[in-house]
């Protein structure tokens, strides 16, 4: 019995020993995991919040299984705990803040088996009121002050903003629940400042209320300086201006004071408490003067604008005549359009021409005369009075070149009856040039050449070669006189006509062995290229280029094969091809052959005659013999 007890207790103790429990492969299943928020998912700031994670596990054994709980806020692990009890896991969020707002879930892991609860959203409402403090509440302009905005008791990612009245003046992310900013104020007076913050919980942000408003009193360090300009009105060019700038209040501090007087971008003068400057008034400058007082970073500016009346206007330079030729007389006139007669006599206004070494000499106030140069020349004129100097725009005088005697020529070939281009050209002369074509005493046409690449070409047609010599042309580029060319002298090409083929001797009475002459003749201008063809043969039998309007070809020792039809072709520089009539040639037998044939015939006839005679004679003899016999 005792042995049995021992055995049982041994068995039991082995079975229930924790080390053996794991080995025993206790089977289990996680049925459900839930997360609940206590006291409620929507709480106000300061509530003690508890997250409860409940797991329902069914197992075959009695012993609780080791479980690992993990709490997530969003996707971040916020808490992990291993436990061997089956009690719920409690995660405490004491004194909750808005920053605790988020979606929470709970995960349970038992021996690798996991289950995650549905997420639950915790919303904590209510932010503390921000507190704004300044290290000084009375400052000088441009003096630095430090403002601190605090979000009491808040945690998490906090973004601060500062406002002056309702305008945002600064923002930044606080490293803890407070943010420090440095300010300087340039506006004098009471500046109302407040701040606010926002707790960022992605993707949302929760805005706090406005902080307390702090009145920062900004005191003026010094007042704007005084700018005075004398004289105060009726300022004319050349008047002396006295400009005075002074500080209004002396400072007891030892700070450095600077005064700057400027005109446009030019600094006229500078000093400490007083600046006195004298300038000559000029109409072309902008009339604004500025005085600037600086103490440390603080500056005060005053500007004054004056209007300066022109004593005289800038002169204009004109030329007459408008078109000027080399070495011709010209006149330049320099004149100011207007002048202030209440301040200036016309005689006080003097004009000079620049450059001073120009070949023109003054012939009256502002009038200069002389001969035009050969080249381009730039002139400027200067008007002066009471120390004021004004320049005109530059006038470039471009003297023109008169046309030279033109040359008249034929452009291309002059062919009778076809259009002829007559070219007229002057070697020198400024464009545009008018070219006039004249025939005899008659003006045929006018062409204006405006471009150096342009040619003056006239199209004419003549019917007789002598007509060409009547053409002349005239070139003109000023209205005074034109230049006349010589007469047109050029070779005229007469086109070919009336091509005839002449054959010697008579082509119907030629015999073998004789020589034949084929003569091609035409009307027109040489050189003429003649070609002799035989009908049925493509290539010419003869080709000859002649400096005359005819040529001849010789065919020696004619034979029967030379019979056929022949014709000529001719062409000259007028490029018109002419063709002759076709002429038939028949080559007869040679005379001696005829004679031989006649002789042979005669011989045959005479032989035949002899034979016949002999035959008849022998026949009659036989008959006589027979008669004799019969007798
Ligand atoms: C877990 O329990 C909750 C509430 O008791 C229930 O709504 C949910 O459907 C359960 N989930 C599973 C997977 O059984
Ligand atoms: C929250 O718990 C603390 C102790 O942990 C207690 O002092 C405090 O009064 C509790 N606050 C509320 C609102 O219950
Ligand atoms: C819980 O136990 C696991 C192993 O079982 C271990 O990796 C983990 O670090 C433990 N966690 C805590 C919070 O002790
Ligand atoms: C400024 O200087 C001019 C001479 O440069 C003098 O005549 C004038 O009195 C001065 N004005 C003042 C206010 O000092
Ligand atoms: C005239 O002035 C123009 C510029 O204004 C310059 O290009 C040109 O070369 C000058 N001509 C002469 C002849 O000085
Ligand atoms: C003058 O020439 C132009 C073009 O070259 C031509 O159109 C016009 O007919 C010509 N006038 C006379 C009268 O030849
Ligand atoms: C050239 O001819 C045009 C018209 O044919 C005329 O207006 C111009 O005045 C002429 N120019 C000259 C310099 O003769
Ligand atoms: C050949 O040309 C001359 C002038 O060069 C002319 O007198 C003669 O009639 C021309 N001959 C023929 C056959 O046209
Ligand atoms: C071409 O013809 C000319 C004139 O008839 C003659 O003087 C010259 O010899 C000929 N040339 C040839 C190659 O036949
Ligand atoms: C003329 O031609 C014939 C054959 O066509 C030839 O026998 C004879 O020698 C030639 N006579 C001359 C002078 O060339």
């Amino acid at each position: 019995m005792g042995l049995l007890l021992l055995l049982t207790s041994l068995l039991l103790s082995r079975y229930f020993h924790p080390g053996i429990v794991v080995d025993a492969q206790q089977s289990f299943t996680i049925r459900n995991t839930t997360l609940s928020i206590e006291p409620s998912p929507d709480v106000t700031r300061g509530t003690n919040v508890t997250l409860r994670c409940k797991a329902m596990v069914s197992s075959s054994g009695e012993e609780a299984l080791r479980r690992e709980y993990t709490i997530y806020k969003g996707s971040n692990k916020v808490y992990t705990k291993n436990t061997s009890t089956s009690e719920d896991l409690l995660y405490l969020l004491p004194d909750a803040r808005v920053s605790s707002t988020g979606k929470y879930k709970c995960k349970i892991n038992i021996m690798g088996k996991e289950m995650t609860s549905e997420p639950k959203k915790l919303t904590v409402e209510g932010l503390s009121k921000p507190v704004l403090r300044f290290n000084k509440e009375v400052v000088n302009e441009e003096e630095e002050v430090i403002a601190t905005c605090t979000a009491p008791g808040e945690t998490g990612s906090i973004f601060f903003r500062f406002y002056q009245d309702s305008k945002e003046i600064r923002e930044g992310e606080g490293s803890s629940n407070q943010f420090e900013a440095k300010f300087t104020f340039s506006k004098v007076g009471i500046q109302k400042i407040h701040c606010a913050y926002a707790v960022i919980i992605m993707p949302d942000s929760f805005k706090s209320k406005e902080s307390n408003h702090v009145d920062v009193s900004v005191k003026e360090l010094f007042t704007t300086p005084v700018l005075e300009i004398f004289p105060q009105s009726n300022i004319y060019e050349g008047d002396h201006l006295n400009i005075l700038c002074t500080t209004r209040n002396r400072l007891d501090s030892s700070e450095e004071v600077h005064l700057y007087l400027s005109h446009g971008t030019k600094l006229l003068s500078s000093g400490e408490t007083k600046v006195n400057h004298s300038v000559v008034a000029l109409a072309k400058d902008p009339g604004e003067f500025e005085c600037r007082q600086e103490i440390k970073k603080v500056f005060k500016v005053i500007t004054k604008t004056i209007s300066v009346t022109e004593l005289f206007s800038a002169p204009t330079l004109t030329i007459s005549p408008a078109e000027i030729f080399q070495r011709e007389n010209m006149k330049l006139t320099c004149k100011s359009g207007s002048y202030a007669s209440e301040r200036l006599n016309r005689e006080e206004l003097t004009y000079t021409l620049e450059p001073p070494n120009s070949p023109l000499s003054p012939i009256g106030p502002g009038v200069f005369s002389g001969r035009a140069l050969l080249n381009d020349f730039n002139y400027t004129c200067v008007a002066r009075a009471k120390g004021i100097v004004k320049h005109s725009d530059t006038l470039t005088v471009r003297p023109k070149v008169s046309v030279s005697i033109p040359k008249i020529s034929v452009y291309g070939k002059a062919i009778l009856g076809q259009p002829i281009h007559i070219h007229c050209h002057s070697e020198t002369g400024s464009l545009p040039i008018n070219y006039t074509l004249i025939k005899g005493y008659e003006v045929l046409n006018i062409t204006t050449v405006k471009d150096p690449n342009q040619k003056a070409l006239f199209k004419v047609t003549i019917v007789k070669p002598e007509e060409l010599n009547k053409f002349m042309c005239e070139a003109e580029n000023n209205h005074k006189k034109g230049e006349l060319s010589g007469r047109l002298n050029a070779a005229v090409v007469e086109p070919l006509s009336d091509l005839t083929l002449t054959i010697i001797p008579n082509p119907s009475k030629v015999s073998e062995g004789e020589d034949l002459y084929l003569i091609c003749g035409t009307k027109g201008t040489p050189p003429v290229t003649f070609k002799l063809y035989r009908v049925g043969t493509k290539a010419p039998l003869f080709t000859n280029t002649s400096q005359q309007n005819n040529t001849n070809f010789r065919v020696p020792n004619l034979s029967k094969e030379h019979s056929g039809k022949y014709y000529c072709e001719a062409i000259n520089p007028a490029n018109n091809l002419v063709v002759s009539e076709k002429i038939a040639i028949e080559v007869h037998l040679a005379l001696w052959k005829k004679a031989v044939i006649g002789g042979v015939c005669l011989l045959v006839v005479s032989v035949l005659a002899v034979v016949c005679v002999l035959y008849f004679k022998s026949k009659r003899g036989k008959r006589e013999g027979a008669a004799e016999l019969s007798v």
Side-chain angles (χ1 to χ4, degrees):
M1 184 63 190
L3 193 75
L4 194 77
L5 211 83
L6 183 78
L7 211 81
T8 315
S9 70
L10 223 151
L11 266 170
L12 281 173
S13 71
R14 269 188 71 87
Y15 188 74
F16 286 111
H17 189 273
I20 298 156
V21 171
V22 180
D23 293 341
Q25 287 292 312
Q26 182 179 4
S27 65
F28 67 93
T29 176
I30 307 171
R31 281 165 52 207
N32 201 349
T33 310
T34 51
L35 181 82
S36 55
I37 301 175
E38 291 167 3
S40 124
D42 295 299
V43 297
T44 51
R45 180 178 194 272
T47 311
N48 288 338
V49 176
T50 305
L51 302 184
R52 178 182 293 275
C53 184
K54 190 181 193 70
M56 288 173 70
V57 181
S58 297
S59 70
S60 55
E62 303 277 306
E63 195 72 10
L65 296 159
R66 264 172 66 88
R67 27 182 100 174
E68 184 191 9
Y69 288 99
T70 313
I71 305 282
Y72 291 89
K73 183 185 181 191
S75 56
N76 299 331
K77 269 185 201 178
V78 292
Y79 183 66
T80 313
K81 193 183 178 189
N82 288 341
T83 173
S84 294
T85 71
S86 56
E87 276 171 25
D88 293 349
L89 175 90
L90 299 181
Y91 175 57
L92 301 180
L93 291 167
D95 201 10
R97 291 285 180 256
V98 167
S99 60
S100 300
T101 298
K103 274 188 179 167
Y104 290 88
K105 61 192 180 198
C106 160
K107 188 177 88 180
I108 181 163
N109 180 341
I110 303 173
M111 294 163 73
K113 261 194 195 171
E114 288 186 351
M115 182 175 276
T116 306
S117 74
E118 290 289 310
K120 284 275 163 64
K121 181 156 187 196
L122 167 67
T123 308
V124 183
E125 281 197 335
L127 288 171
S128 61
K129 187 181 171 179
V131 176
L132 176 64
R133 276 180 289 112
F134 271 88
N135 65 338
K136 280 187 210 171
E137 292 190 4
V138 178
V139 291
N140 284 323
E141 40 184 341
E142 303 293 338
E143 191 184 341
E144 201 173 76
V145 279
I146 299 169
T148 311
C149 188
T150 314
E154 294 303 329
T155 56
S157 164
I158 307 178
F159 203 77
F160 291 89
R161 284 195 173 90
F162 291 85
Y163 300 87
Q164 178 165 11
D165 299 321
S166 56
K167 194 179 143 229
E168 188 185 307
I169 52 171
R170 189 74 58 85
E171 59 174 25
E173 198 174 348
S175 55
S176 62
N177 67 341
Q178 70 174 35
F179 184 72
E180 219 176 70
K182 287 175 183 164
F183 292 105
T184 57
F185 297 98
S186 50
K187 228 164 88 183
V188 175
I190 304 291
Q191 310 299 333
K192 282 193 184 301
I193 312 292
H194 71 268
C195 73
Y197 67 86
V199 177
I200 314 282
I201 298 153
M202 292 301 280
D204 302 316
S205 71
F206 297 84
K207 284 194 179 117
S208 78
K209 293 202 175 88
E210 287 183 7
S211 74
N212 55 314
H213 288 239
V214 176
D215 288 350
V216 178
S217 168
V218 183
K219 292 196 300 177
E220 191 174 41
L221 197 59
F222 56 93
T223 52
T224 316
V226 182
L227 179 63
E228 289 164 297
I229 300 175
F230 302 103
Q232 284 168 323
S233 60
N234 279 338
I235 305 169
Y236 284 85
E237 275 182 301
D239 287 356
H240 286 269
L241 295 177
N242 271 327
I243 304 150
L244 188 65
C245 185
T246 41
T247 58
R248 225 183 293 184
N249 45 349
R250 276 216 60 85
L251 291 160
D252 28 324
S253 77
S254 58
E255 299 292 358
E256 266 187 69
V257 182
H258 290 288
L259 272 182
Y260 299 99
L261 179 67
S262 44
H263 182 216
T265 55
K266 194 176 166 202
L267 182 69
L268 299 177
S269 184
S270 65
E272 283 198 359
T273 55
K274 187 173 174 183
V275 175
N276 186 1
H277 191 78
S278 175
V279 288
V280 172
L282 295 176
K284 66 175 195 287
D285 298 333
E288 192 178 80
F289 291 89
E290 184 195 274
C291 184
R292 181 183 167 105
Q293 183 178 359
E294 288 182 9
I295 296 175
K296 291 204 287 182
K297 278 200 248 163
V298 187
F299 63 88
K300 296 286 158 74
V301 173
I302 180 161
T303 61
K304 260 196 182 163
T305 306
I306 56 159
S307 75
V308 180
T309 311
E310 249 192 353
L311 211 52
F312 56 92
S313 61
T316 49
L317 187 60
T318 51
I319 181 169
S320 74
E323 196 176 58
I324 189 80
F325 281 81
Q326 292 174 332
R327 294 197 193 87
E328 280 185 358
N329 275 325
M330 64 172 192
K331 201 165 82 179
L332 294 185
T333 308
C334 181
K335 194 164 185 278
S336 283
S338 60
Y339 68 101
S341 52
E342 62 273 28
R343 281 292 189 99
L344 196 67
N345 296 322
R346 188 164 267 292
E347 295 73 52
E348 285 179 86
L349 199 52
T350 62
Y351 300 102
T352 52
L353 199 61
E354 282 194 348
N357 60 347
S358 79
L360 301 181
S361 45
I363 56 165
V367 184
F368 305 86
S369 170
R371 281 182 163 228
L373 298 175
L374 299 181
N375 306 323
D376 292 3
F377 203 83
N378 284 342
Y379 294 95
T380 313
C381 91
V382 186
R384 286 187 181 83
K386 298 202 166 177
I388 302 291
V389 177
K390 289 188 182 180
H391 289 256
S392 74
D393 289 341
T394 300
L395 176 76
T396 304
V397 175
R398 296 197 168 86
K400 288 188 149 196
V401 180
S402 299
V403 279
S404 59
I405 293 173
K407 283 201 171 73
I408 188 165
S409 58
V410 167
Y411 195 74
K413 281 180 215 158
I415 297 170
L416 213 62
Q418 287 180 22
I420 299 170
H421 292 102
I422 296 179
H423 183 207
C424 195
H425 176 66
S426 286
E427 279 300 321
T428 56
S430 301
L431 299 176
I433 300 175
N434 281 0
Y435 289 100
T436 309
L437 183 68
I438 301 166
K439 186 181 181 188
Y441 297 102
E442 185 192 355
V443 169
L444 287 190
N445 215 337
I446 300 180
T447 290
T448 305
V449 170
K450 299 184 184 109
D451 190 293
N453 299 321
Q454 201 183 337
K455 277 192 168 77
L457 287 178
F458 301 96
K459 207 155 94 179
V460 300
T461 310
I462 54 168
V463 288
K464 279 183 277 171
E466 311 85 72
E467 272 181 67
L468 203 64
N469 195 240
K470 290 185 180 162
F471 289 101
M472 285 185 293
C473 78
E474 193 185 44
E476 185 181 21
N477 70 348
N478 65 39
H479 292 282
K480 287 174 198 158
K481 57 174 184 1
E483 293 285 354
L484 197 63
S485 74
R487 289 175 171 274
L488 176 58
N489 189 5
V492 180
V493 178
E494 199 178 332
L496 295 182
S497 62
D498 300 344
L499 176 63
T500 54
L501 173 62
T502 314
I503 296 170
I504 298 172
N506 189 333
S508 53
K509 290 175 188 165
V510 287
S511 310
E512 284 180 311
E514 285 181 359
D515 288 356
L516 195 66
Y517 291 91
L518 298 123
I519 302 160
C520 298
T522 182
K523 271 188 201 157
T525 310
V528 186
T529 299
F530 293 96
K531 285 179 181 173
L532 180 73
Y533 289 92
R534 180 175 171 174
V535 175
T537 315
K538 266 198 178 154
L541 300 177
F542 292 99
T543 301
N544 186 7
T545 301
S546 170
Q547 291 306 322
Q548 285 151 11
N549 53 7
N550 62 70
T551 190
N552 63 75
F553 305 110
R554 177 172 163 261
V555 185
N557 193 13
L558 278 180
S559 65
K560 199 74 180 156
E561 292 85 61
H562 287 114
S563 296
K565 283 185 165 176
Y566 292 81
Y567 65 96
C568 282
E569 264 183 23
I571 193 163
N572 81 338
N575 259 343
N576 67 321
L577 183 80
V578 287
V579 183
S580 76
E581 271 184 86
K582 297 183 179 70
I583 298 183
I585 297 176
E586 205 192 329
V587 181
H588 299 283
L589 275 183
L591 209 58
W592 65 267
K593 285 188 183 171
K594 286 182 186 168
V596 166
I597 290 168
V600 168
C601 288
L602 218 66
L603 201 72
V604 170
V605 168
S606 49
V607 167
L608 274 176
V610 169
V611 169
C612 279
V613 167
L614 288 176
Y615 175 72
F616 280 114
K617 269 190 181 168
S618 71
K619 235 187 169 179
R620 196 185 303 158
K622 265 184 194 169
R623 220 183 295 152
E624 277 173 11
E628 274 172 18
L629 278 170
S630 64
V631 170

